[in-house]
């Protein structure tokens, strides 16, 4: 697995963990994300430290969370953010940030990486859902950017 792919996976892990903490503690996700990120930087939970790209992604998701969630809510036909599986939600938040706000990552790469994460981490239906939603956001990208 390439370094950026591993960094994305770790970012999904952090976003997922923060989402779970926010749901169980009542703490807003935007407050939980920096807390979990700081804990993972201090204690990565693995033998390797948290990659810089993971930190960049999590900080980007944190900064743009309301715009990301608004786009996901608006264009996920029949699915609210809360109804989505938690892993899919984390993958989509990371993928949407890369797609809309990280010009260093080509759109196709952002989508492909998110689909692969969904394939390895979530349900059999998740890759299709993630691909469809991120593909829709990619076609509307110019109208979605603030």
């Amino acid at each position: 697995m390439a370094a950026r792919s591993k960094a994305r996976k770790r970012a999904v892990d952090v976003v997922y963990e923060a989402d779970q903490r926010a749901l169980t503690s009542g703490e807003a996700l935007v407050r939980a994300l920096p807390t979990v990120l700081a804990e993972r930087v201090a204690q990565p939970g693995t033998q390797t430290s948290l990659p810089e790209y993971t930190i960049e992604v999590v900080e980007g998701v944190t900064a743009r969370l309301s715009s990301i969630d608004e786009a996901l809510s608006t264009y996920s036909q029949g699915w609210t953010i809360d109804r989505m599986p938690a892993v899919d939600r984390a993958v989509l938040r990371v993928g949407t940030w890369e797609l809309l706000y990280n010009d260093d990552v080509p759109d196709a790469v952002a989508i492909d990486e998110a689909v692969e994460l969904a394939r390895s981490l979530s349900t059999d239906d998740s890759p299709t859902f993630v691909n469809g939603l991120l593909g829709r956001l990619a076609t509307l990208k110019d109208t979605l950017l603030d």
Side-chain angles (χ1 to χ4, degrees), residues 28-123:
L29 180 58
V30 77
R31 289 191 313 270
L33 278 165
T35 301
V36 173
L37 180 60
E39 289 171 5
R40 290 302 140 252
V41 168
Q43 296 178 343
T46 65
Q47 291 181 345
T48 60
S49 61
L50 215 57
E52 282 300 315
Y53 190 64
T54 297
I55 296 168
E56 180 183 345
V57 171
V58 174
E59 288 175 343
V61 169
T62 304
R64 301 289 190 156
L65 186 63
S66 64
S67 298
I68 290 168
D69 281 359
E70 181 180 334
L72 293 174
S73 292
T74 301
Y75 296 102
S76 60
Q77 299 172 346
W79 288 86
T80 64
I81 291 284
D82 293 336
R83 188 170 166 239
M84 292 175 192
V87 173
D88 292 2
R89 205 168 37 235
V91 168
L92 283 165
R93 285 171 169 153
V94 168
T96 301
W97 178 80
E98 279 196 311
L99 181 68
L100 299 180
Y101 301 108
N102 188 351
D103 294 333
D104 294 339
V105 177
D107 293 353
V109 172
I111 294 169
D112 288 347
E113 289 284 333
V115 169
E116 284 306 311
L117 284 167
R119 183 172 285 117
S120 68
L121 299 173
S122 197
T123 69

Side-chain angles (χ1 to χ4, degrees), residues 18-27 82 86 89:
D19 190 24
Q20 294 308 295
R21 285 190 190 184
L23 290 175
T24 58
S25 71
E27 182 180 7
D82 293 336
R89 205 168 37 235

